[in-house]
Amino acid sequence: MLAKALQSSELMALKFQIEGHTDGKGKADYNLKLSQARAQAVKQQLEKHGIDGSRLSALGKGDTKLA
C-alpha cells in the first residue's frame, strides 16, 4: 500500500506531489477540473490512511500530459 510506504523511515521526511490526468477527449477546462479532482481524491485517501496532508500536494494536469 502506498500509505504504508510513505510512512516508512526512508520516505517520512519527504513531500510528494500527486498528479491527476485525463485523456484528450472533451473540453480542456473540464479535463483540468476532473484531473484536479482525481488528484485531490488520492490525497484525501492518503490522509485517511494517516499521511500528514502537509506532505502532499494535488495538481491536475488535465489533458496536457497524455500517456
Side-chain angles (χ1 to χ4, degrees):
M1 176 185 272
L2 179 58
K4 187 174 182 177
L6 294 178
Q7 292 170 334
S8 71
S9 59
E10 293 90 354
L11 301 178
M12 186 59 90
L14 301 176
K15 294 184 177 188
F16 295 88
Q17 179 172 289
I18 302 160
E19 294 183 356
H21 297 270
T22 63
D23 59 21
K25 297 176 184 175
K27 294 186 177 192
D29 60 334
Y30 173 80
N31 285 336
L32 186 59
K33 289 177 187 177
L34 176 60
S35 65
Q36 181 65 40
R38 288 175 175 176
Q40 190 64 37
V42 172
K43 181 179 185 277
Q44 290 172 346
Q45 284 299 311
L46 289 170
E47 290 172 336
K48 285 182 183 178
H49 284 89
I51 305 302
D52 182 356
S54 68
R55 294 178 55 208
L56 306 170
S57 62
L59 179 63
K61 295 285 191 170
D63 58 5
T64 61
K65 292 197 173 185
L66 301 176

